[in-house]
Amino acid sequence: MEFVDSTALSTALPRLSLAFGTDPIHLKLALTSYILALAVLAPASGWIADRFGPRRVFMFAMSVFLLGSVLCGFSQSLTQLVIFRTLQGLGGALMTPVGRIIVVSSAPRERLVTAMSWFTMPALVGPLVGPPLAGLILGVADWPWIFFINVPVGLLGMLAVARFVPPLHQPDPGPFDTRGFVLAAVAITTLIGAAETVGIGLMPLPLQLGLAAIALSSLAAYVRHALRVERPVLDLRLLRIDTFRASMIGGTLTRMGLGATPFLLPLLFQVGLGWTPVEAGLVTIGSGVGALSCKSVAPFIIRRFGFRQTLIFANLASAIMTALPAFFRSSTPIPLIVGVLVVSGFMRSLQFTATNTVAYADIPRDTVSSASTVSVVTMQMALGLGISFGGLMLHLARGPGEAPLTPDRFVLPFIAVGVVSSLAGPLYRRLSPNAGAHIGGRRVG
């Protein structure tokens, strides 16, 4: 539900720009507002899940997400949509990390790769279902139904959670780290806010510099705080573990590409190439098909080559495939475009299955909630920064004024995003050849 909603909204951005009379680039606020809300509240998700129980928290989160969905459908302006997307994000901030806690806490370590492979499935089904669903909705109805469709899905999901998710007994989380939460929230909000507005004229330069200064100072203050207290809201001491550190930092760089692509591709297809939402949605199915096809072979590849080699190869391949849409033109054969998206989806799926799993290879059981919280926060910040970075590159390629978004304007954004994604490669090379061997099923030696 969450990933279908986000990918469908990305496909509908050109239609929303007409409905609200807003520049398409500015509509990235509808995407980043959700991610910002999720990233701000997510640091508290581990403590909340341990304090009130993962199943109860998960049900509450789905209720908040559904309320936000209904309100988004009734939005009359970009401002209202941003506000209600923020409410959705507050629900999503608990759904994703608490779901991860349930899976990691329940799965035996020797089956964690398979379990995490299934856990990432919704993130892959979303890009598969979202674009064509949005195209269908926009073909027969209007954009609010992109949000209203969440209601029956969410209600069925809540019934399934009540029926199948067992109660889990989590360790006592202790007192809540209020000071750390406030510092982290300020740092995350100002960092994404500064990244979202840089270079596109939404905010005066002095205010942008002020936001950046606040972000850096609050981040430094949080780091000092987190290293002094026993149970910080985001336990940065986990980054001392090699596998977790490589997953977090490398995953941040690669997820910037994952965040930028769903924003850039619909604009390229619908505005740059003049396709209809239905045509754009059907073509982008290729990415989801590639991702799903990887699920059955990812455990075998990781077991055969190990986490280190898998991550190095998949990162390089996915970075190249992320940059290739820069060369899509009206004359580019449709089968070639679909083929690029299929391979891109396969490589991204392989990379994220490996990086999401190796993060927990050496994490003690009693710190799973803390690790899940740090993972979700870094993931969402990376997605938000990726959208902002892609928007900035598109703005720079567009030049002064509001020049038409012709296909050549997308060369810089896609190549820049691909280069940033490739920077994770050197981090993965520092891993031990036997990193995560005990959970990947690979013989050590």
Side-chain angles (χ1 to χ4, degrees):
M1 178 175 63
E2 188 177 3
F3 286 99
V4 166
D5 186 82
S6 296
T7 54
L9 180 61
S10 297
T11 303
L13 289 182
R15 179 70 63 85
L16 284 168
S17 70
L18 296 176
F20 294 152
T22 304
D23 187 273
I25 295 180
H26 293 169
L27 275 168
K28 62 189 175 73
L29 288 169
L31 302 176
T32 52
S33 60
Y34 175 89
I35 294 172
L36 176 60
L38 198 154
V40 168
L41 183 58
S45 61
W47 186 90
I48 293 173
D50 288 348
R51 175 66 178 80
F52 299 101
R55 182 172 66 174
R56 183 185 304 171
V57 173
F58 198 88
M59 293 280 283
F60 173 76
M62 293 185 75
S63 301
V64 174
F65 186 88
L66 288 184
L67 175 61
S69 297
V70 173
L71 294 176
C72 282
F74 288 112
S75 298
Q76 301 296 314
S77 66
L78 177 59
T79 301
Q80 291 182 10
L81 181 62
V82 168
I83 292 172
F84 298 138
R85 282 283 289 169
T86 302
L87 179 61
Q88 268 192 312
L90 297 179
L94 297 177
M95 284 199 298
T96 303
V98 174
R100 189 187 300 265
I101 290 171
I102 291 172
V103 173
V104 176
S105 298
S106 303
R109 281 299 173 103
E110 65 275 8
R111 299 182 63 190
L112 190 55
V113 172
T114 301
M116 290 301 294
S117 179
W118 280 103
F119 178 75
T120 57
M121 186 72 74
L124 307 175
V125 173
L128 176 65
V129 175
L133 178 63
L136 176 64
I137 290 174
L138 296 176
V140 301
D142 205 355
W143 64 266
W145 285 95
I146 289 174
F147 297 102
F148 294 153
I149 198 68
N150 288 335
V151 176
V153 178
L155 292 177
L156 288 173
M158 294 174 71
L159 290 174
V161 170
R163 171 66 179 84
F164 295 109
V165 175
L168 295 172
H169 301 288
Q170 300 297 101
D172 180 15
F176 183 63
D177 179 20
T178 304
R179 175 181 171 80
F181 176 75
V182 172
L183 287 173
V186 171
I188 292 169
T189 303
T190 52
L191 179 61
I192 295 182
E196 178 67 12
T197 57
V198 65
I200 60 174
L202 287 179
M203 188 180 294
L205 180 59
L207 187 54
Q208 291 180 9
L209 294 176
L211 279 178
I214 294 173
L216 293 176
S217 59
S218 56
L219 179 60
Y222 179 77
V223 171
R224 289 195 301 270
H225 168 80
L227 297 178
R228 292 175 180 174
V229 300
E230 181 181 357
R231 294 182 177 180
V233 68
L234 289 173
D235 192 353
L236 301 182
R237 287 182 288 261
L238 293 172
L239 295 174
R240 296 171 179 169
I241 301 174
D242 291 342
T243 48
F244 189 77
R245 182 175 63 252
S247 175
M248 294 303 100
I249 301 177
T252 295
L253 294 169
T254 54
R255 284 189 179 93
M256 287 183 67
L258 182 66
T261 301
F263 168 70
L264 292 172
L265 270 182
L267 293 179
L268 171 61
F269 288 151
Q270 297 181 51
V271 181
L273 301 180
W275 295 1
T276 66
V278 175
E279 292 170 332
L282 290 175
V283 167
T284 51
I285 286 179
S287 178
V289 170
L292 286 175
S293 65
C294 179
K295 287 296 98 178
S296 60
V297 299
F300 168 78
I301 293 174
I302 294 172
R303 185 167 57 249
R304 174 65 179 83
F305 297 100
F307 281 102
R308 181 179 180 272
Q309 290 299 110
T310 300
L311 286 169
I312 292 172
F313 172 74
N315 173 250
L316 178 60
S318 63
I320 294 172
M321 304 310 294
T322 296
L324 281 182
F327 306 102
F328 289 170
R329 298 293 183 269
S330 299
S331 58
T332 306
I334 299 298
L336 178 59
I337 293 177
V338 173
V340 168
L341 297 181
V342 168
V343 177
S344 177
F346 183 95
M347 288 301 170
R348 282 185 176 177
S349 177
L350 178 60
Q351 181 175 3
F352 288 127
T353 297
T355 194
N356 287 341
T357 308
V358 79
Y360 297 92
D362 303 309
I363 294 294
R365 282 282 184 179
D366 59 353
T367 61
V368 165
S369 293
S370 298
S372 177
T373 301
V374 173
S375 176
V376 170
V377 171
T378 55
M379 177 177 67
Q380 295 303 323
M381 287 187 64
L383 294 176
L385 292 174
I387 295 172
S388 299
F389 181 70
L392 174 61
M393 293 298 101
L394 184 58
H395 179 77
L396 294 177
R398 193 180 195 180
E402 294 188 359
L405 291 175
T406 52
D408 59 294
R409 308 290 185 184
F410 290 86
V411 174
L412 174 62
F414 278 109
I415 291 180
V417 169
V419 170
V420 170
S421 298
S422 70
L423 297 179
L427 296 172
Y428 296 141
R429 289 181 182 277
R430 296 178 184 176
L431 286 172
S432 164
N434 294 321
H438 58 290
I439 64 170
R442 185 168 184 257
R443 181 177 299 173
V444 177

